[in-house]
Amino acid sequence: MGPKAKKSGSKKKRITKADRLKQLQEEEEKRQKEEEEARVKYEKEEMERLEIQRTEKEKLRKLEAKDLERRNEELEELYLLEACFPEAEKLKRDSRLLSQWKHYIQCDGSPDPSISQEINTFISLWKEETNETFEAVTAKSKLVLNLIEKLKLILLETPSYDLQEKNIIQYQGSILELQELLHLKFNIATEILLRQASTLADLDSGNMEKVIRDENVTLYVWANLKKNPRYRSIRFSETQIGFEIPRILATSDIALRLLHTHYDHVTPLGPVPTAPQEHTSTVTYFGKDEVKSVEAAVSKDLQEEYNEQENESNVVHEEETKVDEQGGIEGQTSLGPVNVSPTGHQRQSSVQEEPEATKYELEMKLLSETVSAAQLLLLENAPEKPYFSEENEVDLCQFTALGGVHHLDILELPPQCKPRKGWMIVEILKEGLQKYTYPPETAEDFETENAFPPIEVMLEVHENVIFFENPVVARWDAEGKHWKTDGISNVSYKSEDRLITFSLETLGPVTLIQDAHVNMPYQSWELRPLDVNKVLLTVTTVFTEIQIQIKENLCMLASIKLNDKKHSSILEEKWMTPVSFIIALKEAGLNIFPTGHSHFYVVINYKLPLVEVKAYRQMALLSSAFAFGWSKWNTVCDSKKVLFQVREHLPKEEPIQNPNWTLLMFSGDRAQSLKINESSDAFSEALKEETEFHSTLYHMVKDFASKEAMKKVRCSNCQFVDSVCHMLLSTRLLSYS
């Protein structure tokens, strides 16, 4: 054990108990002082916070009271502005009547499809025509397709409250009759063509091959005249379309037909929405009064012209006679009792004019209510998802057929024409064109299992149709009256060549289908003014960017971008009515128009339909001078409110690189400008400084808008506003983005 360490020269000073107590006391006092300071600071901050909160509440209370005070005044002004919707509907009704009149005076021999006698006569006369060639039927099909298109547009464009059940049944019945007759005529024309197969045979193969092209129909037909078992690969000249047939068909007396109709007359017609009975009866009543008013006005004009040619006494006599003969209709239905002066002119007192003005106001008010109800009906979601009893049945609420229908048929070759002493003799079968059953219903004579293998088919996808995903092949089930996806195998799609190959167990009508909601939900959207009564609607989806121009009562596809590259379409630069435009876009595969069942297949940002309708109507009113855009915060707020960006945008101003958008929140009854913007970190409903509450979007934007912008809004064309509103209602931008 080593030596002990030396102790330090100076000892540490020992802390006494009294010092320790004093130190603890000082620490305790310091802690208490800090706590007191913190408490005072907290109380001060809390008081300041409560004061700010109280001030804010008081400010909001005053703003709400101010909003409530002027609410009726703002709603009345909005009601006057929204009179453009019934006015536009009145113009559309007049336009429909005018088109009927124009057709009547045109006298071109074509029937009016809305008149059952005329369309029935047309069908009966065409049935009696025989021995029409395929070219003749193709030429006639243009008129038939036009008649079908007119009937479909009548059902879609006529408001539900103007459509009666008997008219719907009549129009749909005429459509089905025309479709069936057209297909029957194509079958008869194909039979006439196949009778001449031997005279049209190819010198190299010895078989007949024929391709007939038209804008609406393309026929590919091949007749097996040589029955060569080695000739099993069929390709139509200058195309990649064809068949790979089994040996049994290569040695049979058959013909193969591919009739590609660029339209779809196979899929059943969809239901037509009908309005509640009270709306129908109300508007119908006023429609009759309107007709009587027109009749009275015309009669008055004719009478005045007659007055110029007769003396005063004769005029009086003629007036009295005319009123007596028509039972006073002219005077009582539109003008009230008529006073005839000694000079033969009609007088009407201001007392009699007042009921007429009141009647017109009542008519427009009721028409406004029915238009609003019809707009709300467009946003109505179906309560239940469609039920399908059969497996592999195509859900037409989820999928849509594109590119028309390919009618694939194996036909029995009819007896051929035979030349005899300068004459052509042909045996005509009473049963007409017959289909060859493949595979046969009884296959007892064939031992091998693969005696009837599937037939390979190669088709070209229609050039005017866009598929964003690989198309799905569906076949028509004639018994169940629906499309199915079974019985189809070995599907291969080459997108560069637009060629699809597949195998079918049995031939029949086939079509290519695509998910109808492939472009939903949208990623963003913008509505921007271009010129007076002209706007540009841009909808951006995962696959594409679609730009739509709207002017007056017409719409046009401005441009399409696929993968950030411009894509050409035959629809560009073609102005159409909104309903026709929507149909054309859907048929081209550019479906951005949800239906009542779409919410079952798309994750949507549900908003109350009434809030949506009010927002779309007021956005349409302002669209001539204000731009609207998508906001990411619209998905955060609840279903009772919608959020979007807005800014004043006069058509002639230069494009702004970073425009200053205002974020608006609208609940249908109140509009407010929010403090946050698109780059904010969190959502808040805090009111933007120096702004107020308003009952309408119109009065909200009026606070920061220029006089020139508001003047443009008030001078907007009623048909333009109605068309913009219809497009917004059809795309449902606030729910599906």
Side-chain angles (χ1 to χ4, degrees):
M1 186 173 178
K4 292 182 179 179
K6 291 184 179 181
K7 293 183 179 179
S8 172
S10 61
K11 290 184 178 180
K12 286 184 178 181
K13 187 178 179 181
R14 294 182 65 183
I15 300 174
T16 63
K17 187 175 181 181
D19 292 339
R20 187 179 294 112
L21 288 172
K22 185 179 179 181
Q23 184 179 358
L24 290 172
Q25 187 176 0
E26 288 175 353
E27 289 177 356
E28 179 65 21
E29 287 176 356
K30 185 180 179 181
R31 185 184 63 80
Q32 288 179 357
K33 185 179 179 181
E34 288 175 351
E35 286 181 355
E36 180 64 19
E37 288 176 353
R39 184 185 65 80
V40 171
K41 183 181 179 182
Y42 171 77
E43 287 179 354
K44 185 180 179 181
E45 289 176 350
E46 185 66 15
M47 286 179 67
E48 288 176 353
R49 187 185 66 82
L50 290 173
E51 180 62 23
I52 291 171
Q53 193 175 26
R54 188 193 66 79
T55 306
E56 287 294 323
K57 282 185 177 179
E58 181 64 22
K59 183 181 177 182
L60 286 176
R61 189 189 66 77
K62 288 181 178 179
L63 289 175
E64 287 174 353
K66 188 176 180 181
D67 177 39
L68 193 64
E69 184 180 345
R70 64 190 176 197
R71 179 177 177 77
N72 289 337
E73 183 183 339
E74 290 186 349
L75 291 178
E76 284 177 9
E77 189 173 357
L78 178 67
Y79 177 78
L80 293 174
L81 289 169
E82 289 188 336
C84 62
F85 293 110
E87 195 65 40
E89 188 55 50
K90 212 167 168 38
L91 288 174
K92 284 190 279 187
R93 187 183 294 174
D94 293 342
S95 178
R96 288 192 293 270
L97 292 172
L98 183 62
S99 65
Q100 287 182 336
W101 172 247
K102 283 183 177 179
H103 181 274
Y104 175 75
I105 63 175
Q106 194 172 0
C107 297
D108 60 354
S110 63
D112 184 344
S114 63
I115 301 175
S116 59
Q117 294 90 341
E118 290 190 26
I119 198 69
N120 290 339
T121 302
F122 173 80
I123 291 171
S124 300
L125 291 174
W126 197 28
K127 282 180 179 178
E128 293 174 3
E129 295 180 22
T130 57
N131 298 326
E132 291 177 286
T133 63
F134 199 90
E135 289 80 0
V137 176
T138 302
K140 191 70 169 279
S141 70
K142 290 181 175 63
L143 172 59
V144 176
L145 292 173
N146 181 256
L147 294 174
I148 293 172
E149 190 68 23
K150 281 183 178 179
L151 286 169
K152 286 183 177 179
L153 283 177
I154 289 172
L155 291 171
L156 291 171
E157 289 186 334
T158 307
S160 52
Y161 47 80
D162 276 351
L163 271 178
Q164 296 182 8
E165 187 67 28
K166 63 177 184 179
N167 295 124
I168 295 173
I169 295 170
Q170 174 197 322
Y171 299 154
Q172 289 187 333
S174 298
I175 290 171
L176 292 174
E177 276 194 80
L178 288 168
Q179 289 177 348
E180 291 170 4
L181 181 57
L182 181 59
H183 193 67
L184 175 64
K185 288 288 184 177
F186 278 131
N187 284 342
I188 295 171
T190 303
E191 181 186 5
I192 293 171
L193 181 63
L194 287 174
R195 287 185 203 146
Q196 307 166 26
S198 57
T199 63
L200 300 171
D202 182 67
L203 295 176
D204 296 330
S205 65
N207 297 317
M208 187 271 272
E209 176 192 310
K210 185 77 172 176
V211 178
I212 301 175
R213 298 180 184 274
D214 185 70
E215 59 179 314
N216 299 312
V217 179
T218 306
L219 174 71
Y220 304 88
V221 64
W222 176 82
N224 190 14
L225 299 172
K226 286 296 183 182
K227 304 179 189 63
N228 185 350
R230 296 181 181 178
Y231 197 87
R232 296 165 59 183
S233 181
I234 301 161
R235 293 290 185 279
F236 291 97
S237 59
E238 299 180 0
T239 71
Q240 301 183 70
I241 296 172
F243 301 88
E244 290 287 340
I245 59 175
R247 182 185 180 89
I248 186 172
L249 290 179
T251 57
S252 299
D253 207 22
I254 61 157
L256 293 175
R257 180 182 72 167
L258 165 54
L259 177 63
H260 179 202
T261 58
H262 303 170
Y263 49 82
D264 180 5
H265 286 176
V266 176
T267 304
L269 298 173
V272 178
T274 54
Q277 188 61 37
E278 60 268 18
H279 289 303
T280 308
S281 58
T282 301
V283 180
T284 304
Y285 169 77
F286 279 100
K288 290 177 180 177
D289 279 352
E290 186 181 344
V291 172
K292 290 179 181 179
S293 299
V294 172
E295 288 176 353
V298 172
S299 299
K300 182 181 176 181
D301 291 341
L302 292 173
Q303 189 63 42
E304 287 178 356
E305 184 179 346
Y306 185 76
N307 287 346
E308 295 175 1
Q309 302 173 2
E310 297 292 330
N311 57 41
E312 295 178 357
S313 59
N314 288 340
V315 169
V316 174
H317 178 71
E318 290 294 333
E319 259 322 290
E320 292 171 353
T321 306
K322 193 170 185 66
V323 171
D324 290 340
E325 286 177 353
Q326 296 189 4
I329 291 176
E330 300 168 14
Q332 294 171 15
T333 56
S334 66
L335 301 174
V338 178
N339 295 326
V340 183
S341 68
T343 58
H345 295 292
Q346 297 175 356
R347 292 199 313 267
Q348 189 168 12
S349 66
S350 58
V351 178
Q352 293 164 342
E353 289 175 359
E354 287 180 6
E356 283 308 310
T358 306
K359 181 180 173 183
Y360 178 78
E361 288 175 6
L362 180 60
E363 178 185 352
M364 295 306 290
K365 182 181 179 181
L366 290 171
L367 186 56
S368 177
E369 290 174 0
T370 50
V371 168
S372 299
Q375 290 174 340
L376 193 61
L377 195 65
L378 287 174
L379 304 188
E380 190 175 311
N381 288 333
E384 294 180 359
K385 190 176 181 179
Y387 171 75
F388 300 97
S389 57
E390 291 195 35
E391 193 178 357
N392 300 311
E393 181 180 345
V394 175
D395 180 1
L396 291 177
C397 292
Q398 182 180 5
F399 295 93
T400 182
L402 297 174
V405 177
H406 303 265
H407 297 266
L408 306 173
D409 298 298
I410 308 174
L411 305 170
E412 293 181 3
L413 200 60
Q416 296 298 295
C417 296
K418 296 177 182 178
R420 288 287 187 275
K421 297 180 181 180
W423 293 82
M424 294 297 288
I425 300 174
V426 62
E427 179 186 353
I428 298 176
L429 303 176
K430 286 184 179 180
E431 55 272 18
L433 193 65
Q434 294 296 303
K435 290 187 178 182
Y436 182 91
T437 306
Y438 179 89
E441 296 176 0
T442 57
E444 298 175 357
D445 298 337
F446 300 90
E447 297 177 0
T448 58
E449 293 182 2
N450 295 326
F452 305 102
I455 300 170
E456 187 176 301
V457 182
M458 286 138 284
L459 299 176
E460 290 179 353
V461 177
H462 198 289
E463 61 182 354
N464 296 330
V465 173
I466 299 175
F467 281 94
F468 297 98
E469 298 173 338
N470 287 353
V472 178
V473 184
R475 66 173 184 85
W476 178 249
D477 182 359
E479 292 183 4
K481 302 293 182 186
H482 50 240
W483 294 105
K484 298 186 74 174
T485 55
D486 60 345
I488 303 165
S489 58
N490 304 324
V491 180
S492 172
Y493 178 58
K494 296 179 181 178
S495 57
E496 299 82 8
D497 301 327
R498 299 183 68 84
L499 184 70
I500 188 165
T501 305
F502 54 92
S503 298
L504 275 174
E505 294 176 3
T506 181
L507 295 190
V510 299
T511 191
L512 305 179
I513 61 174
Q514 177 175 253
D515 186 352
H517 310 96
V518 69
N519 284 310
M520 301 177 204
Y522 323 125
Q523 291 188 320
S524 65
W525 58 269
E526 184 183 89
L527 181 69
R528 177 166 55 89
L530 289 178
D531 205 342
V532 179
N533 294 320
K534 189 175 183 180
V535 297
L536 180 71
L537 173 63
T538 304
V539 180
T540 305
T541 73
V542 174
F543 296 102
T544 182
E545 179 188 277
I546 302 171
Q547 291 192 328
I548 300 167
Q549 283 189 22
I550 307 168
K551 71 170 184 179
E552 296 182 356
N553 61 333
L554 299 171
C555 302
M556 180 191 75
L557 181 64
S559 72
I560 313 169
K561 283 185 182 177
L562 299 179
N563 301 320
D564 296 325
K565 294 180 181 178
K566 186 172 172 57
H567 178 85
S568 60
S569 170
I570 61 165
L571 296 178
E572 290 182 43
E573 307 301 324
K574 288 186 178 180
W575 291 99
M576 292 176 268
T577 61
V579 173
S580 300
F581 178 75
I582 290 170
I583 294 171
L585 241 60
K586 285 183 176 181
E587 290 177 349
L590 299 169
N591 185 18
I592 52 170
F593 308 101
T595 65
H597 292 91
S598 294
H599 63 286
F600 292 115
Y601 311 102
V602 182
V603 178
I604 69 168
N605 178 27
Y606 177 75
K607 301 294 178 183
L608 290 179
L610 187 58
V611 175
E612 265 195 280
V613 168
K614 287 183 177 181
Y616 294 145
R617 283 167 66 99
Q618 295 182 44
M619 285 166 67
L621 280 171
L622 297 164
S623 62
S624 58
F626 294 87
F628 295 89
W630 169 85
S631 170
K632 66 180 182 180
W633 301 118
N634 188 44
T635 58
V636 179
C637 66
D638 59 44
S639 61
K640 297 178 182 178
K641 299 167 185 173
V642 293
L643 269 83
F644 47 84
Q645 299 182 87
V646 63
R647 69 182 179 91
E648 183 178 320
H649 183 98
L650 298 177
K652 292 183 180 179
E653 72 181 23
E654 293 294 326
I656 303 172
Q657 292 295 330
N658 297 306
N660 186 21
W661 292 92
T662 300
L663 187 62
L664 293 187
M665 183 170 72
F666 184 56
S667 64
D669 296 323
R670 173 176 290 173
Q672 67 183 82
S673 180
L674 298 186
K675 195 173 184 178
I676 60 170
N677 54 37
E678 287 300 291
S679 58
S680 301
D681 296 327
F683 176 70
S684 170
E685 293 188 6
L687 189 68
K688 189 177 181 179
E689 295 175 1
E690 298 181 359
T691 63
E692 300 179 354
F693 295 122
H694 284 280
S695 299
T696 72
L697 290 176
Y698 172 81
H699 294 90
M700 185 71 248
V701 301
K702 192 177 180 181
D703 282 354
F704 59 81
S706 66
K707 291 182 178 180
E708 185 184 354
M710 300 314 295
K711 183 180 179 181
K712 283 185 177 294
V713 168
R714 288 189 291 270
C715 296
S716 296
N717 180 281
C718 66
Q719 289 181 305
F720 161 74
V721 174
D722 184 70
S723 296
V724 174
C725 183
H726 186 86
M727 199 55 59
L728 293 174
L729 289 166
S730 300
T731 50
R732 298 194 64 178
L733 300 173
L734 296 172
S735 286
Y736 281 80
S737 60

